Amino acid sequence: MRFIIANEFYQQMLQQPDHTFDCYVRPGEYLHHMYIDGVKYAVAPAVLDCLAQAEAQGDKEAIEHLQLHKLHFEQLLADAERYGSLDGVTLLGDPPPTDEEAAPDTGNRYSPRVPTKWEDLGLESAFLFDMVLRVIFTRGQIAGTDIADLLAVPYPVLGPLLQAMRKQTLIDIVGQRPNSGDSGFIYEIKPPKGSAALQEALEKTNYVGPLPVPFADYVEAVLAQTVKKITVTRRSIRSAFQDLIISDEAFNEIGPAINSAQSIFFFGYPGNGKTSIAERITRLMGDSIFVPHTVEVSGQIVRVYDPIIHTAVTEVDEDAGTTTILKKASEHDRRFIKIRRPTIVVGGELTMAMLDLKYNATGKYYEAPLQMKANGGIFMIDDFGRQQVRAMDLLNRWIVPLEKKYDYLNTVSGNKVEVPFDEILIFSTNLDPTQLADEAFLRRIKFKIEVRDPSEEQYRKIWELVCKGRRVDFDPSGVNYLIDKWYRPSSRPFRMCQPRDILDQMISIAKYNMERVNFSPDLIDAACSTYFINDQKRDFGAKVRLD
């Protein structure tokens, strides 16, 4: 704890209009903390004054809280006095963090090493022969350098394998590109031995693409880029959430949850941004990671990279402005691809089958499950409790991964594969968590965070942000009208999503009316009348069956 002992800061604290929840013993009572540049301090004069007030009122809870602060302050004070005078000293305890400490480096320094010989690939030669045969089969006749590009390996790594395959009369050279050397040799499959080997290769799998990464190398890559190395501070979290209106109280819960790299349970009313919060958490986790296109597990191929779920990062060449005839060498093993840390969100469509290896009977390879694709990032189960599978069955599925940090996946042959589970698992629901999970499971979810309704002040700030994003002039008087007519009479609660939704409807109506979007009462009323539902119960003659 850091203590401010200068009285002028005490007066400054009292003049501040807003204070977070943790500045008090209880909300609004015994104010004794303040934040300066995102750093929390206890104000020693305030602690002593609040303690005297609590003792006068016989407030036992407040007395215990403040006495512990006083004890820590007296210990720091005694230590400081032993080293000399306190004249001119304003702070006791740890010094404020530096800019580097307040905004820790989250850059990923892992880079998969470029193979220099075929043994570096970690794959059996027979497996590599099969891959080459399938590539030539799909392309008819193809140059050696093109085979290397399709397999995502340097040609010097592939060259000795092609020579070995020629010696075994599996393939043959049928031509050569001019001025290209050995890499320009054009290959085709040579019968009968090559044709027989091809049939055997196609019976195993039809996969053609970048060479798989050995499973051990995949595990190494996951652990090297673990979410456990991520550190979030009070300063760094604000930059990631700058486009959302979130209270300091919520920041104080979300930040430590990310630092723990443990599971999180978001609960609260719908429309308050639980999904948006999860998506922005990845901004705090660093820029990018490397994932393999595919992984080889006991001779089987598992596809990990998914262009629908993952966002590939295009690396900008620092020498883009220079002219050169030389092709820049790859700086990492091209069997890996650089992606943004994944954020995978699933909702009511989630089934148990989506959480295990999926066998592609046509291609004869496996598709990695969602949690494996989410390694190094976030896996969020949205609308938890509304899936087709029972909530308890889904929860039980996560007991081992949450406890052991690895998961077991099953192949069609019945073999089990132990896969790292290195991600932040987030559950999000607008149902009561105690109705979805028992105490034993809730204990395994380390952080339970309620995403609360915004205050009126926050609601107005959201309107300002939304108007700025939609390039609509913000009108405070129009928001006053909206609140007075559509919220206060019915005590309607504010939701984070409502300003965005209502403004979008105002824009649509304005287009229909061929007019400019503004905060006219007619436009506000037209939008709200089609957005909000009247609370009055009405019978339209139809019945809903819930069984």
Side-chain angles (χ1 to χ4, degrees), residues 15-16 24 30 35 41 53 63 76 103 131 168 175 204-205 217 283 293 316 328 349 422 468 475 484 526 534:
Q15 294 173 7
Q16 290 181 353
Y24 304 88
Y30 307 106
Y35 287 90
Y41 299 88
Q53 178 187 348
I63 291 172
L76 289 172
M131 288 291 301
Q168 296 184 29
K204 297 173 184 175
T205 178
D217 290 359
R283 298 180 184 177
H293 287 274
V316 179
K328 185 177 179 180
E349 76 278 7
D422 189 81
K468 182 179 179 180
D475 183 359
D484 289 339
N534 194 315

Side-chain angles (χ1 to χ4, degrees), residues 108-112 217-218 221-222 225 288-293 304 313 315 330-342 375-376:
N108 176 27
R109 292 180 174 82
Y110 172 79
S111 180
D217 290 359
Y218 168 69
V222 171
Q225 304 172 108
S288 56
I289 61 173
F290 288 97
V291 298
H293 287 274
V304 177
V313 174
E315 298 188 50
S330 176
E331 297 179 352
H332 66 269
D333 187 343
R334 290 191 294 119
R335 294 178 296 167
F336 289 80
I337 183 169
K338 199 172 190 179
I339 65 168
R340 294 179 185 170
R341 284 195 181 265
N375 269 331

Side-chain angles (χ1 to χ4, degrees), residues 418-489:
E418 184 181 302
V419 179
F421 187 82
D422 189 81
E423 61 212 59
I424 298 178
L425 179 62
I426 298 178
F427 297 91
S428 174
T429 184
N430 51 26
L431 302 174
D432 184 351
T434 59
Q435 297 177 358
L436 296 172
D438 57 18
E439 182 180 353
F441 187 82
L442 289 177
R443 175 180 59 82
R444 291 179 169 89
I445 301 179
K446 305 304 182 182
F447 288 82
K448 277 77 73 174
I449 300 175
E450 181 179 359
V451 181
R452 301 168 182 85
D453 291 338
S455 64
E456 182 175 329
E457 180 184 2
Q458 291 173 325
Y459 179 81
R460 293 176 182 273
K461 288 181 179 178
I462 295 171
W463 266 106
E464 291 185 46
L465 281 179
V466 170
C467 286
K468 182 179 179 180
R470 299 293 193 276
R471 297 184 178 180
V472 174
D473 292 336
F474 175 68
D475 183 359
S477 60
V479 177
N480 291 340
Y481 174 83
L482 169 68
I483 293 174
D484 289 339
K485 179 170 183 178
W486 290 95
Y487 284 87
R488 289 205 171 98

Side-chain angles (χ1 to χ4, degrees), residues 337-363:
I337 183 169
K338 199 172 190 179
I339 65 168
R340 294 179 185 170
R341 284 195 181 265
T343 299
I344 297 179
V345 181
V346 293
E349 76 278 7
L350 179 64
T351 62
M352 296 295 282
M354 296 167 67
L355 302 176
D356 211 336
L357 291 169
K358 181 180 179 182
Y359 185 67
N360 184 322
T362 302

Side-chain angles (χ1 to χ4, degrees), residues 335-399:
R335 294 178 296 167
F336 289 80
I337 183 169
K338 199 172 190 179
I339 65 168
R340 294 179 185 170
R341 284 195 181 265
T343 299
I344 297 179
V345 181
V346 293
E349 76 278 7
L350 179 64
T351 62
M352 296 295 282
M354 296 167 67
L355 302 176
D356 211 336
L357 291 169
K358 181 180 179 182
Y359 185 67
N360 184 322
T362 302
K364 300 176 185 177
Y365 60 85
Y366 290 91
E367 186 77 24
L370 295 174
Q371 71 272 22
M372 187 173 174
K373 294 179 180 180
N375 269 331
I378 287 176
F379 183 35
M380 179 174 181
I381 301 177
D382 205 2
D383 289 328
F384 179 66
R386 302 187 186 279
Q387 283 73 28
Q388 298 179 23
V389 60
R390 287 195 320 143
M392 282 307 301
D393 292 339
L394 194 55
L395 289 173
N396 289 334
R397 174 64 181 78
W398 300 112
I399 288 179

Side-chain angles (χ1 to χ4, degrees), residues 100-119:
E100 291 76 13
E101 293 171 331
D105 181 18
T106 57
N108 176 27
R109 292 180 174 82
Y110 172 79
S111 180
R113 184 172 55 87
V114 179
T116 58
K117 53 184 183 297
W118 75 264
E119 289 86 355

Side-chain angles (χ1 to χ4, degrees), residues 229-281:
K229 294 182 179 179
I230 296 164
T231 301
V232 175
T233 67
R234 190 180 299 277
R235 288 183 190 174
S236 63
I237 195 172
R238 292 180 180 276
S239 61
F241 285 82
Q242 60 186 351
D243 57 340
L244 291 183
I245 299 298
I246 296 182
S247 67
D248 287 334
E249 181 181 357
F251 280 140
N252 291 346
E253 296 173 338
I254 295 170
I258 301 170
N259 284 340
S260 74
Q262 299 287 345
S263 51
I264 305 174
F265 206 133
F266 285 127
F267 62 97
Y269 290 105
N272 278 336
K274 294 184 289 295
T275 304
S276 297
I277 290 173
E279 290 171 347
R280 280 154 184 81
I281 287 175

